[in-house]
Amino acid sequence: MSIFGRRQKKISFGGHQLSDEANLEVFDFRRQARQELVKEGISLIRDCILIVFALVLMAVFFIQPVVVEGTSMLPVLHDGERLLVNKVVYYKLKDYSWGHLERGDIVVFWFPREPDRSYVKRIIGLPGETVEIREGKVYINGKLLEEDYIDPAYNRSTASFPPRFVEPYHYFVMGDNRDNSSDSRYWGAVPEKYIYGRAFFRFWQPHGFGFLSKGVYPSDVPLVANEEEDY
């Protein structure tokens, strides 16, 4: 192109021409920062929703909070304390150690005589065993059961109960406060299907915050009752 008969010279700066500027992209850093902030916020919200969803699934299928009512488990559990229970036992995953019920476990179950009521007790007798109470002491298959969790202050009774065979898929349960506990001594063993969780963690009250320990049994307790014994 020419002006007044003369061709206009192309102006260049450092080897770049003005026509090259059309290919340059101009960034608005404030706008870019706002967009990144929005993206991060959306990602955070998404992650929070996924976490809440995972917690809901755990609560429905694996873990459930329960409230202790009464004093039958003193001195280990107190009235009003909050526990977390492992519900894996409810789904009968017996091939895994973390889903298997054992002696000393603190379990939560539906009361067989009133299934709308929930109880918390400790497993004392296993399926196939014979449980007997002699002057307040527990005997499994005729052998004294040593119970380190029992406080003599809550176990002054010297009452005796006749031997009782624990049928398959049933558990003999008792409260740690033997002087004030309605348990298998009075209404029989609990069917396995009624047990819906094993307590493993106390999250309230603050003074007892932490995992619950099961009973320790230093004595060699036979696991299978003598079939020749007269029940």
Side-chain angles (χ1 to χ4, degrees):
M1 182 176 179
S2 60
I3 302 177
F4 301 109
R6 297 182 180 180
R7 185 177 298 275
Q8 183 179 10
K9 296 182 179 180
K10 292 183 179 181
I11 302 176
S12 62
F13 299 92
H16 296 282
Q17 300 179 357
L18 289 177
S19 59
D20 295 334
E21 300 299 324
N23 298 324
L24 296 179
E25 184 176 358
V26 179
F27 288 93
D28 185 337
F29 291 101
R30 292 183 178 179
R31 180 180 179 183
Q32 192 75 9
R34 287 195 298 268
Q35 291 177 347
E36 292 297 328
L37 183 61
V38 171
K39 290 180 180 179
E40 291 296 330
I42 294 175
S43 298
L44 180 61
I45 294 174
R46 178 199 61 197
D47 293 342
C48 290
I49 292 175
L50 291 176
I51 291 174
V52 171
F53 182 70
L55 291 176
V56 170
L57 286 179
M58 289 183 64
V60 171
F61 295 104
F62 300 105
I63 298 176
Q64 176 179 333
V66 298
V67 180
V68 177
E69 296 182 1
T71 59
S72 69
M73 285 298 293
L74 289 174
V76 176
L77 300 179
H78 296 76
D79 183 43
E81 290 185 331
R82 268 66 172 174
L83 310 176
L84 293 179
V85 299
N86 169 17
K87 294 175 63 177
V88 172
V89 297
Y90 180 77
Y91 298 101
K92 307 297 183 294
L93 299 181
K94 299 302 183 182
D95 293 334
Y96 302 92
S97 59
W98 40 267
H100 184 66
L101 293 174
E102 299 177 344
R103 192 189 329 277
D105 287 341
I106 299 174
V107 293
V108 184
F109 57 92
W110 304 114
F111 182 38
R113 295 185 178 180
E114 297 181 48
D116 59 335
R117 297 179 60 186
S118 182
Y119 277 16
V120 55
K121 306 291 180 182
R122 189 185 299 274
I123 290 180
I124 299 299
L126 302 175
E129 296 180 341
T130 298
V131 181
E132 182 182 2
I133 314 297
R134 304 177 192 169
E135 298 182 351
K137 302 293 184 181
V138 178
Y139 290 80
I140 304 294
N141 298 340
K143 189 174 181 64
L144 177 65
L145 181 67
E146 299 184 34
E147 302 177 275
D148 62 341
Y149 43 80
I150 293 297
D151 188 336
Y154 302 100
N155 192 25
R156 300 182 185 275
S157 174
T158 57
S160 297
F161 294 82
R164 180 170 295 181
F165 177 70
V166 184
E167 298 179 356
Y169 306 106
H170 287 69
Y171 292 87
F172 194 96
V173 300
M174 297 175 67
D176 292 351
N177 181 3
R178 303 287 162 80
D179 294 342
N180 187 25
S181 174
S182 173
D183 49 43
S184 293
R185 293 173 295 176
Y186 303 100
W187 38 258
V190 179
E192 183 183 65
K193 64 181 180 181
Y194 280 65
I195 300 176
Y196 65 84
R198 177 176 56 196
F200 70 95
F201 191 85
R202 173 171 34 211
F203 63 93
W204 187 263
Q205 301 280 352
H207 66 272
F209 183 86
F211 289 94
L212 298 174
S213 59
K214 59 178 296 182
V216 178
Y217 307 99
S219 60
D220 184 18
V221 178
L223 298 181
V224 179
N226 185 351
E227 295 180 356
E228 299 179 358
E229 185 175 350
D230 184 9
Y231 303 122

